[in-house]
Amino acid sequence: MSDRDGHDEVTITAYPNGPLIVRGDATILDVEGRAMPRTRKTVALCRCGASTIKPLCDGSHKLVGFCTEEPGSVRP
């Protein structure tokens, strides 16, 4: 999907118990403010802190049992 200027629309989706999925032409900066090279239009960003390739997700959230909800919380 493109915006009015013809650029890819950027969306960020938080997946339950998983990463943030970034779709579109977003610039991702490293801790020093440099643009990270991107080879894909879609990337997964770590939210659990356990990834060995931060800020990218490597699936470690599954191994560490990362949970985005408080135990015992009720979803609407």
Side-chain angles (χ1 to χ4, degrees):
M1 184 176 257
S2 297
D3 65 17
R4 291 179 213 177
D5 297 325
H7 296 99
D8 288 339
E9 177 182 0
V10 175
T11 61
I12 301 173
T13 306
Y15 277 79
N17 306 324
L20 296 173
I21 302 297
V22 180
R23 291 182 177 90
D25 192 18
T27 300
I28 299 174
L29 304 177
D30 66 16
V31 295
E32 295 178 8
R34 296 178 300 221
M36 294 181 59
R38 292 201 38 201
T39 58
R40 300 178 178 187
K41 289 279 187 177
T42 301
V43 295
L45 298 177
C46 176
R47 286 200 294 170
C48 74
S51 175
T52 60
I53 57 170
K54 291 180 200 90
L56 303 176
C57 175
D58 68 0
S60 291
H61 56 275
K62 295 175 188 175
L63 298 173
V64 299
F66 177 69
C67 183
T68 56
E69 297 179 3
E70 292 294 322
S73 66
V74 177
R75 296 179 90 181

